[in-house]
């Protein structure tokens, strides 16, 4: 045994654990048990929760007004010290709760010890964590609104800009760039809805659940819930200290959102390639190559793609932590915060980067227009014309359009380059009027069904989005 481990093993009993333990923890136990390195991020929520608890104790006559005033003033000083970067966090004190309480005792003396009346670190951390996740949701929701704003602005700009629409990454039918971007506005809108739903469900206060069974003190849990902006106290004290659904739901909503960001990032990677050249990103969101001077790499988009995997992994990590825990609190749950913090940080960065790229991208309208008709993307339009004008069953019309595509392929030309005589050789009923539907502009203009790609539809979607989301 080393000198350091001997001293750790024979250290005085911990002041926070009380007289049950004759000796202190081993050095390795201190390291694995401490959470202050990461849970110090909860300092503002911890102090806010402590102040609400203190006011409730005074209101209920459990604390004197003098002690309450002293505690509140001391907590304000602790908060100021932390925000000024002058607070010495200690691993020996394990967590943010004991670090704050220890400093409070240094400032105001014995009254600090009365703050923990009718409270446990179990309901304290559950309250702090809910407050933190609630703040994170509010921040992410605002960032997603900014992303929607950027998407809507570019969609309005390109409401009539034609481009190829894809299925299987094969040219399918012409669409507009505005329509394409508005699809992501809808996705992000659902992401915001999931975050809003998660926020509503988490907005119940665990404070007053104590360790697991509630408390014998005459606390007013409705008062502290209102003080902290919660809708109500949680109904069951066991659930109050052991639930982490709110963290899982936040991470789940974030993971779905990250997948949406990754899909858009993948499109930017494809669109900026030399083979597509649909859009160009400036130096602000690209990097060069150490060996190939011509390269402009869409690294911001690629990193968003990669960070999505981290968000999904963090969600899985917490699901696995929680899956085998009996009620109520177990120390496993100390590992709930780091994955949540990482998800919030990762999403903040990814959303900001995507918002920047959308605003930054230069759309190559000429390239898009040329690509919009490649691959016989208006073949469905001639089939629809046959159904509409010749009263042909769609399956037969599909066969006619397919035969026209094959003829154009054999001749090495586009559908609109076929002569009327060549088209009538396949279907005699085709007239010159049918040829008009083969332009990409005509194709997108005809898609006027609700939710379709017609430019006027896109402009209507933009107007609706401004009312719904912005």
């Amino acid at each position: 045994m080393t000198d350091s481990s001997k001293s750790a093993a024979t250290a005085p009993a911990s002041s926070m654990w009380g007289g049950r333990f004759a000796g202190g923890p081993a050095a390795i136990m201190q390291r694995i048990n401490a959470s202050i390195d990461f849970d110090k991020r909860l300092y503002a929520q911890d102090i806010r929760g402590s102040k609400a608890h203190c006011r409730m104790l005074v209101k209920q006559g459990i604390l004197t007004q003098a002690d309450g005033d002293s505690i509140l003033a001391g907590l304000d000083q602790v908060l100021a010290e932390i925000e000024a970067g002058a607070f010495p966090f200690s691993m020996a004190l394990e967590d943010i709760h004991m670090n704050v309480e220890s400093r409070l005792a240094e400032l105001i003396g014995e009254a600090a010890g009365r703050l923990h009346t009718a409270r446990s670190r179990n309901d304290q951390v559950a309250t702090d964590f809910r407050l933190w996740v609630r703040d994170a949701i509010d921040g992410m929701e605002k960032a997603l609104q900014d992303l929607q704003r950027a998407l809507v602005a570019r969609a309005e700009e390109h409401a009539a800009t034609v481009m190829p629409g894809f299925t299987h990454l094969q040219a399918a039918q012409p669409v507009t760039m505005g329509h394409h971007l508005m699809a992501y506005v809808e996705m992000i809108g659902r992401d915001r809805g999931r975050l809003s739903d998660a926020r509503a469900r988490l907005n119940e206060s665990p404070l007053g659940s104590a360790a697991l069974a509630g408390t014998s003190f005459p606390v007013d849990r409705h008062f502290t819930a209102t003080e902290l902006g919660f809708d109500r106290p949680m109904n069951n004290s066991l659930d109050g200290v052991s639930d982490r659904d709110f963290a899982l739901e936040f991470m789940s909503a974030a993971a779905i959102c990250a997948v949406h960001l990754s899909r858009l990032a993948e499109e930017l990677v494809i669109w900026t390639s030399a083979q597509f050249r649909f859009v160009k990103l400036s130096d602000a969101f690209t990097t060069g190559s150490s060996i190939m001077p011509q390269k402009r790499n869409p690294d911001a988009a690629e990193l968003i793609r990669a960070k999505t995997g981290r968000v999904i992994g963090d969600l899985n990590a917490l699901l696995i932590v929680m899956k085998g825990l009996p009620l109520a609190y177990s120390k496993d749950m100390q590992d709930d915060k780091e994955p949540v913090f990482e998800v919030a940080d990762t999403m903040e960065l990814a959303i900001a980067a995507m918002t920047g790229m959308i605003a930054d991208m230069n759309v190559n309208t000429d390239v898009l227009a040329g690509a919009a008709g490649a691959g016989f993307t208006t073949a469905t339009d001639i089939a629809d014309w046959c159904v509409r004008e010749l009263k042909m069953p769609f399956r037969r019309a599909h066969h006619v359009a397919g035969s026209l595509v094959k003829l154009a392929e054999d001749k090495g030309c586009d559908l609109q380059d076929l002569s009327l005589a060549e088209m009538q050789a396949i279907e005699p009923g085709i007239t010159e009027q049918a040829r008009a539907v083969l332009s990409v502009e005509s194709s997108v203009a005809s898609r006027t069904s609700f939710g379709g790609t017609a430019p006027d539809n896109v402009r209507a979607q933009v107007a609706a989005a401004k009312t719904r989301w912005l």
Side-chain angles (χ1 to χ4, degrees):
M1 182 181 289
T2 65
D3 289 342
S4 61
S5 61
K6 286 180 182 177
S7 62
T10 58
S14 168
S15 60
M16 73 180 93
W17 296 343
R20 168 65 180 84
F21 291 83
I28 193 66
M29 179 59 189
Q30 285 186 322
R31 287 178 59 195
I32 196 172
N33 196 49
S35 59
I36 190 59
D37 283 349
F38 53 86
D39 70 15
K40 61 187 177 184
R41 293 182 62 163
L42 300 173
Y43 75 88
Q45 291 79 17
D46 190 71
I47 292 172
R48 184 181 175 192
S50 289
K51 291 172 75 172
H53 185 65
C54 175
R55 286 190 286 266
M56 182 274 295
L57 293 177
V58 172
K59 170 182 170 292
Q60 296 299 103
I62 301 169
L63 277 187
T64 66
Q65 187 67 56
D67 279 347
D69 291 344
S70 181
I71 288 169
L72 292 174
L75 288 171
D76 284 338
Q77 183 170 340
V78 173
L79 178 62
E81 290 176 359
I82 295 175
E83 291 184 338
F87 188 93
F89 292 104
S90 169
M91 183 177 289
L93 293 170
E94 287 190 17
D95 56 32
I96 185 61
H97 322 300
M98 297 311 301
N99 269 265
V100 169
E101 185 175 320
S102 176
R103 178 58 179 150
L104 184 64
E106 291 174 357
L107 292 171
I108 69 170
E110 188 178 63
R114 296 191 174 97
L115 175 60
H116 210 53
T117 305
R119 185 177 71 171
S120 164
R121 282 192 295 173
N122 292 355
D123 64 334
Q124 188 176 357
V125 70
T127 303
D128 294 356
F129 201 18
R130 279 178 182 261
L131 290 171
W132 194 94
V133 171
R134 191 176 71 184
D135 290 343
I137 287 174
D138 291 344
M140 188 181 299
E141 201 274 338
K142 175 63 172 63
L144 289 172
Q145 184 182 47
D146 290 341
L147 174 55
Q148 283 184 304
R149 187 172 287 110
L151 287 164
V152 167
R154 301 314 301 271
E156 186 169 28
E157 178 185 354
H158 293 285
T161 299
V162 293
M163 66 174 289
F166 297 96
T167 61
H168 309 278
L169 201 55
Q170 303 295 311
Q173 291 179 326
V175 296
T176 65
M177 173 62 84
H179 190 61
H180 196 110
L181 294 177
M182 287 302 296
Y184 286 100
V185 173
E186 293 293 323
M187 293 182 208
I188 300 302
R190 291 192 295 274
D191 292 327
R192 288 177 63 189
R194 276 182 281 271
L195 288 169
S196 178
D197 290 345
R199 191 191 193 283
R201 267 184 290 279
L202 76 75
N203 208 38
E204 296 182 343
S205 174
L207 193 57
S209 298
L212 76 162
T215 176
S216 59
F217 289 94
V219 297
D220 185 345
R221 294 189 61 209
H222 290 84
F223 176 85
T224 51
T226 300
E227 285 281 293
L228 295 171
F230 290 115
D231 295 330
R232 63 192 69 84
M234 297 183 73
N235 288 325
N236 184 284
S237 61
L238 285 167
D239 184 42
V241 299
S242 63
D243 165 58
R244 293 299 183 269
D245 294 3
F246 65 94
L248 292 168
E249 190 168 6
F250 163 64
M251 297 170 80
S252 183
I256 296 171
C257 180
V259 169
H260 291 154
L261 296 180
S262 185
R263 295 183 71 182
L264 182 51
E266 170 69 3
E267 299 211 272
L268 290 175
V269 170
I270 293 170
W271 290 354
T272 57
S273 68
Q275 289 71 30
F276 275 72
R277 297 185 297 115
F278 287 180
V279 303
K280 181 179 179 181
L281 295 172
S282 76
D283 294 349
F285 290 96
T286 57
T287 65
S289 165
S290 63
I291 189 174
M292 294 167 285
Q294 83 282 5
K295 294 294 293 300
R296 183 188 291 271
N297 300 321
D299 282 5
E302 292 172 4
L303 287 167
I304 289 172
R305 241 179 6 193
K307 290 180 184 299
T308 297
R310 295 176 66 175
V311 172
I312 295 168
D314 285 326
L315 169 61
N316 284 337
L318 186 52
L319 285 166
I320 293 167
V321 166
M322 297 301 299
K323 73 175 182 62
L325 299 187
L327 296 178
Y329 181 84
S330 295
K331 193 69 170 183
D332 312 52
M333 292 162 70
Q334 180 169 290
D335 272 11
D336 58 0
K337 294 163 202 67
E338 287 179 287
V340 172
F341 292 161
E342 182 173 49
V343 164
D345 292 345
T346 300
M347 292 301 294
E348 180 182 17
L349 183 59
I351 295 167
M354 183 57 75
T355 302
M357 283 189 290
I358 293 300
D360 177 79
M361 69 180 185
N362 181 19
V363 177
N364 296 323
T365 56
D366 291 342
V367 173
L368 286 171
F376 311 108
T377 57
T378 58
T380 305
D381 293 274
I382 191 66
D384 288 346
W385 184 90
C386 289
V387 171
R388 189 167 50 249
E389 301 298 330
L390 304 182
K391 311 306 179 187
M392 191 180 291
F394 182 80
R395 288 302 173 199
R396 182 181 162 199
H398 184 281
H399 180 78
V400 168
S403 299
L404 291 170
V405 167
K406 184 177 185 307
L407 177 60
E409 279 183 326
D410 292 343
K411 289 176 61 66
C413 68
D414 293 330
L415 278 174
Q416 54 265 45
D417 296 326
L418 294 174
S419 68
L420 180 58
E422 288 172 325
M423 298 177 77
Q424 288 177 333
I426 291 173
E427 171 49 56
I430 292 176
T431 67
E432 190 65 35
Q433 180 191 20
R435 294 164 59 81
V437 305
L438 293 175
S439 73
V440 293
E441 291 78 12
S442 173
S443 178
V444 297
S446 71
R447 301 289 192 253
T448 56
S449 59
F450 184 83
T453 191
D456 285 345
N457 281 28
V458 174
R459 295 183 185 100
Q461 291 171 29
V462 165
K466 289 178 179 179
T467 300
R468 290 171 63 197
W469 305 119
L470 308 181

